[in-house]
Amino acid sequence: MTMDKLEIKNLNRNFKFGKQKVLKNINVSFLSNKIYGLFGENGAGKSTLMSIIADYNFPTSGEVLLDGENVHDNDNALSKIYYMNQNNMYPKNEKVAKTFKFVQSMYEGYDVNLQNKLVKEFQLNTKSRFNKLSTGYKSIMKIIIALCVPCEFIMLDEPTLGLDARNRDIFYRELIESYTDHPRTFVISTHIIEEIDKLVSDVVMINNGKIILNDSADNIRSKAYSINGPADLVDEYVHGLDIIGKESLGQYETGHIMGRLPEKEIPSGVEVNKMELQKLIVNLMDRSEGD
């Protein structure tokens, strides 16, 4: 099995004649057979980064390399990358079935059997024209294609846009099954962090165009804690630690910290719990906004 590496080096992207810096010196690698969560607020630069990786957009400086080769205008490298985004890349008036046939003709090894299974699971009417589909079913059509193309790197930008709870559940279940059957790399950008908390192996977080977190999910979870109890006891216990956020309710307080716990006894009445990934991301966003 080849071990592909998608590497983003010293990447910058400016808009509006160079006055607005959307991405600022991005350095990050996406490795084979992992599921990455790409998180950040609207406008943080996630979609821009994904579009540059897929060569839909171009950096002001820096480069995107796949196994050491620049992906720009590189058909061989780009054939290994698939980007599902919120823009409608497919003919608006074409029937879904015909669009599926077109994509099949573009990709040798496209999984038709999985496509047919997913069409039934999602109850997608393939006789419908793309522009007649609801927002959710437009997402479903794109999801089906993304799971069936034979690419090593699949980037999903808000894949569950417009999906109800039932169809989101199908998507996550089928994603895991597909990944288990044919390991490859998924990079998922979503605001519904709690739904992919247990799926992701690694976390990359962008805020104001910069990467502020890039680590394995297990490592992050091992050093992110929420400490709650009477405010005075919590303050005393977390003093000197890396506090990324606090919440107060009357005389009680929750302190969110990153790093090692202090080597001292936990005060009676104070609870220490592992922090949920969504809570961690939100607190890091808030702290970055305050910097």
Side-chain angles (χ1 to χ4, degrees):
M1 183 185 295
T2 58
M3 293 298 290
D4 295 313
K5 180 179 181 181
L6 190 58
E7 191 176 10
I8 293 85
K9 298 181 71 174
N10 306 317
L11 192 141
N12 293 276
R13 182 66 170 103
N14 301 347
F15 286 157
K16 294 184 178 178
F17 308 104
K19 293 181 180 179
Q20 181 184 358
K21 294 183 181 295
V22 179
L23 295 173
K24 306 168 187 175
N25 196 35
I26 299 293
N27 288 278
V28 65
S29 293
F30 298 105
L31 305 180
S32 291
N33 305 335
K34 288 176 172 281
I35 300 179
Y36 290 85
L38 179 62
F39 303 125
E41 293 181 319
N42 288 331
K46 305 183 301 300
S47 296
T48 301
L49 177 60
M50 286 181 153
S51 67
I52 290 174
I53 290 172
D55 209 33
Y56 287 23
N57 203 338
F58 310 108
T60 303
S61 60
E63 55 189 351
V64 179
L65 306 174
L66 180 57
D67 292 338
E69 291 186 18
N70 198 309
V71 305
H72 180 55
D73 281 342
N74 184 335
D75 290 342
N76 181 57
L78 291 171
S79 70
K80 299 179 180 181
I81 301 170
Y82 187 81
Y83 175 38
M84 173 196 163
N85 61 38
Q86 297 176 43
N87 297 325
N88 294 325
M89 301 180 293
Y90 303 105
K92 291 189 298 184
N93 295 316
E94 202 71 85
K95 289 184 178 179
V96 171
K98 193 166 183 180
T99 298
F100 281 153
K101 287 185 184 298
F102 171 73
V103 178
Q104 291 169 26
S105 71
M106 295 289 291
Y107 290 93
E108 184 179 351
Y110 181 92
D111 195 336
V112 178
N113 290 331
L114 177 58
Q115 173 199 289
N116 294 337
K117 174 191 173 187
L118 294 176
V119 165
K120 291 180 181 178
E121 284 271 356
F122 284 114
Q123 300 174 6
L124 172 64
N125 182 0
T126 58
K127 296 179 181 179
S128 294
R129 298 186 186 278
F130 183 75
N131 64 344
K132 298 297 183 182
L133 296 175
S134 66
T135 299
Y137 271 98
K138 285 176 181 174
S139 293
I140 284 169
M141 191 192 86
K142 296 175 187 178
I143 284 170
I144 292 173
I145 292 171
L147 291 179
C148 294
V149 292
C151 300
E152 282 84 356
F153 293 89
I154 310 292
M155 292 179 296
L156 306 175
D157 190 0
E158 296 294 341
T160 59
L161 183 70
L163 268 62
D164 59 24
R166 172 191 175 274
N167 284 324
R168 291 202 308 274
D169 183 67
I170 293 172
F171 165 62
Y172 297 125
R173 187 174 69 245
E174 292 294 343
L175 171 67
I176 289 299
E177 187 172 325
S178 177
Y179 174 79
T180 302
D181 291 342
H182 304 288
R184 55 219 192 267
T185 297
F186 287 92
V187 182
I188 307 172
S189 173
T190 179
H191 290 98
I192 313 177
I193 299 168
E194 70 271 20
E195 290 190 352
I196 68 166
D197 186 342
K198 301 299 187 292
L199 301 183
V200 298
S201 60
D202 292 78
V203 172
V204 176
M205 181 177 172
I206 299 180
N207 204 60
N208 293 323
K210 296 179 180 179
I211 291 181
I212 64 170
L213 184 64
N214 178 16
D215 205 345
S216 73
D218 285 343
N219 196 37
I220 291 169
R221 292 188 185 102
S222 72
K223 58 185 180 182
Y225 298 93
S226 293
I227 299 162
N228 59 80
D232 56 341
L233 296 179
V234 170
D235 286 340
E236 180 182 351
Y237 183 70
V238 303
H239 179 72
L241 303 182
D242 183 12
I243 303 168
I244 63 172
K246 280 187 178 182
E247 299 169 24
S248 297
L249 181 62
Q251 296 181 347
Y252 286 83
E253 181 176 272
T254 300
H256 304 294
I257 69 162
M258 285 281 287
R260 296 178 113 187
L261 292 172
E263 295 181 359
K264 58 185 178 182
E265 186 177 351
I266 300 172
S268 177
V270 171
E271 292 185 357
V272 177
N273 299 295
K274 290 290 182 68
M275 197 189 317
E276 295 177 358
L277 186 59
Q278 170 139 326
K279 181 66 70 174
L280 169 65
I281 298 297
V282 169
N283 277 284
L284 286 175
M285 284 181 189
D286 290 343
R287 183 165 75 167
S288 296
E289 289 296 321
D291 289 344

